[in-house]
Amino acid sequence: MNGLSYQLKNIRRDKMCILTFLLPVVVGIAINLLSGVRLQPLNEASFGILAHELSDEMSAWLRANGRVTEYETADALWQAVCNPSTQMIGVRRAGDGIRTFCSGDELEVNRVLADTLPNLYEGRGDEMFRETKILPLSGEGDGLKSLLIVITLVTAMFMGCTFNAMNIISEKEDGVAFINRILPMTARTYLVQKTLLGFIGGVLSAVLTAVICMRVNLMQAILLVLMIVLSSLIAALTGLYIGRFSEGLMAGIVSVKAVMILFLAPPVVFWLMVPNGSALFLVSYVLPSSAAFYGLMELAGGGMAAGREIGALAIHAVVWLALYLFLDGRGRRNL
């Protein structure tokens, strides 16, 4: 208990540690303030055309299906399509129909849209004879907003890694680590003390962020809490690994940054670009953050299918804890 109090005193002196835990909450508040702002237009298809080339019917059809920008020359149109920030699909006239072209580095959804757009225009007359039902857009179902919320939650859950790593590294540099070796404290007590604070901080940060950003029912809340607890435990253990094997402060900072990027970037890329259920998608569960990210996306979309993700997180927690106990035991025997 005294060791835990000592670490709490360190937190009060370390303003960056406090900011680390509060940053996801602040971001969550900012995202929640966007509840009245429609983010859907950011996902709207963008078409580039030549001025006065397409017929009025063609232009009207494109404007009904996306955002249209006119260019005076073919070169200007090509440069706009090649600009990575636009994700624009070029549209030219081909007889009575249209043809499309892209830069080659566009998102998969835009590539598919460009490939199918001429056929859609050719069969536009069939739309008049089909029954159409427009579903209302739910504010919570905004895909981009849900993605931002989930990224913020994953960041909050894995923030305990940063504190635990920096705490152990600072003790190494101050010489406190040598004192810990001679204190009447068992390996289990040391592990609990070093894990507990980062774990509690990660849980509190993620729970506060979730309360601000997400609206879930009771069953979803139970699944959400399980994912937060398991993810925060894994993050705290990750911090112990980094603190144990980092020789200095700079090495620790680089390791923390690398781990956080590894935990945050791949799940987003896999979710956006890899088909769900494919072999490559399943391989991504090697990262514990992938399971947390996929489960949160399911809950943010109103789903309940998070059993596989919670099972993966539980396996990660057991394996990472067992491996740390094994390495710590071997290290103590070599002293």
Side-chain angles (χ1 to χ4, degrees), residues 78-100:
W78 174 248
Q79 290 182 6
V81 171
C82 290
N83 188 344
S85 64
T86 62
Q87 289 291 313
M88 181 177 290
I89 299 172
V91 181
R92 298 292 303 271
R93 184 166 186 167
D96 294 332
I98 60 174
R99 63 181 178 89
T100 60

Side-chain angles (χ1 to χ4, degrees), residues 150-203:
V150 171
I151 291 175
T152 304
L153 278 173
V154 173
T155 303
M157 291 189 295
F158 286 90
M159 276 300 184
C161 166
T162 302
F163 171 74
N164 281 355
M166 294 297 101
N167 178 259
I168 294 176
I169 292 172
S170 64
E171 287 187 352
K172 283 184 178 181
E173 294 193 337
D174 296 339
V176 179
F178 296 104
I179 299 176
N180 289 335
R181 293 181 179 179
I182 62 175
L183 289 177
M185 178 171 55
T186 64
R188 179 179 298 178
T189 302
Y190 177 84
L191 175 64
V192 171
Q193 287 188 2
K194 289 302 177 187
T195 305
L196 193 59
L197 207 55
F199 168 73
I200 292 175
V203 169

Side-chain angles (χ1 to χ4, degrees), residues 2-121:
N2 291 333
L4 189 59
S5 301
Y6 172 75
Q7 294 182 69
L8 287 171
K9 291 180 181 178
N10 281 341
I11 286 183
R12 291 198 297 269
R13 291 198 299 264
D14 190 352
K15 300 300 186 294
M16 287 303 297
C17 181
I18 297 175
L19 291 176
T20 296
F21 289 132
L22 291 181
L23 180 60
V25 180
V26 174
V27 174
I29 294 174
I31 295 175
N32 195 52
L33 293 177
L34 296 175
S35 58
V37 179
R38 284 196 60 193
L39 300 177
Q40 194 65 25
L42 298 177
N43 295 328
E44 189 178 16
S46 177
F47 304 116
I49 63 174
L50 280 179
H52 312 300
E53 182 186 44
L54 301 183
S55 66
D56 293 340
E57 181 186 4
M58 292 175 179
S59 298
W61 185 81
L62 286 176
R63 295 181 192 280
N65 291 279
R67 187 171 61 253
V68 176
T69 306
E70 294 186 355
Y71 296 90
E72 294 297 329
T73 65
D75 184 61
L77 173 59
W78 174 248
Q79 290 182 6
V81 171
C82 290
N83 188 344
S85 64
T86 62
Q87 289 291 313
M88 181 177 290
I89 299 172
V91 181
R92 298 292 303 271
R93 184 166 186 167
D96 294 332
I98 60 174
R99 63 181 178 89
T100 60
F101 59 94
C102 297
S103 61
D105 61 352
E106 64 280 350
L107 296 174
E108 179 71 11
V109 63
N110 288 338
R111 185 190 65 78
V112 174
L113 177 59
D115 291 341
T116 57
L117 195 65
N119 294 331
L120 291 174
Y121 178 76

Side-chain angles (χ1 to χ4, degrees), residues 75-282:
D75 184 61
L77 173 59
W78 174 248
Q79 290 182 6
V81 171
C82 290
N83 188 344
S85 64
T86 62
Q87 289 291 313
M88 181 177 290
I89 299 172
V91 181
R92 298 292 303 271
R93 184 166 186 167
D96 294 332
I98 60 174
R99 63 181 178 89
T100 60
F101 59 94
C102 297
S103 61
D105 61 352
E106 64 280 350
L107 296 174
E108 179 71 11
V109 63
N110 288 338
R111 185 190 65 78
V112 174
L113 177 59
D115 291 341
T116 57
L117 195 65
N119 294 331
L120 291 174
Y121 178 76
E122 184 178 352
R124 67 192 182 284
D126 297 338
E127 297 173 359
M128 299 175 58
F129 305 101
R130 295 175 183 171
E131 182 180 354
T132 304
K133 180 180 180 182
I134 300 176
L135 298 177
L137 177 65
S138 171
E140 292 297 325
D142 190 302
L144 183 56
K145 183 178 178 181
S146 297
L147 181 62
L148 291 175
I149 290 173
V150 171
I151 291 175
T152 304
L153 278 173
V154 173
T155 303
M157 291 189 295
F158 286 90
M159 276 300 184
C161 166
T162 302
F163 171 74
N164 281 355
M166 294 297 101
N167 178 259
I168 294 176
I169 292 172
S170 64
E171 287 187 352
K172 283 184 178 181
E173 294 193 337
D174 296 339
V176 179
F178 296 104
I179 299 176
N180 289 335
R181 293 181 179 179
I182 62 175
L183 289 177
M185 178 171 55
T186 64
R188 179 179 298 178
T189 302
Y190 177 84
L191 175 64
V192 171
Q193 287 188 2
K194 289 302 177 187
T195 305
L196 193 59
L197 207 55
F199 168 73
I200 292 175
V203 169
L204 291 178
S205 180
V207 167
L208 287 175
T209 306
V211 169
I212 293 171
C213 296
M214 297 187 70
R215 300 293 180 268
V216 294
N217 57 40
L218 179 59
M219 189 61 195
Q220 288 176 323
I222 294 174
L223 296 174
L224 177 61
V225 170
L226 285 175
M227 282 191 288
I228 289 176
V229 169
L230 291 172
S231 299
S232 299
L233 176 60
I234 295 170
L237 292 172
T238 305
L240 296 187
Y241 281 106
I242 295 174
R244 180 182 180 87
F245 294 107
S246 297
E247 295 298 331
L249 181 60
M250 290 306 299
I253 292 175
V254 172
S255 298
V256 168
K257 297 299 182 184
V259 168
M260 292 303 292
I261 292 174
L262 184 64
F263 276 174
L264 294 176
V268 178
V269 174
F270 277 102
W271 178 264
L272 294 176
M273 304 186 67
V274 179
N276 191 353
S278 65
L280 187 58
F281 190 85
L282 295 177

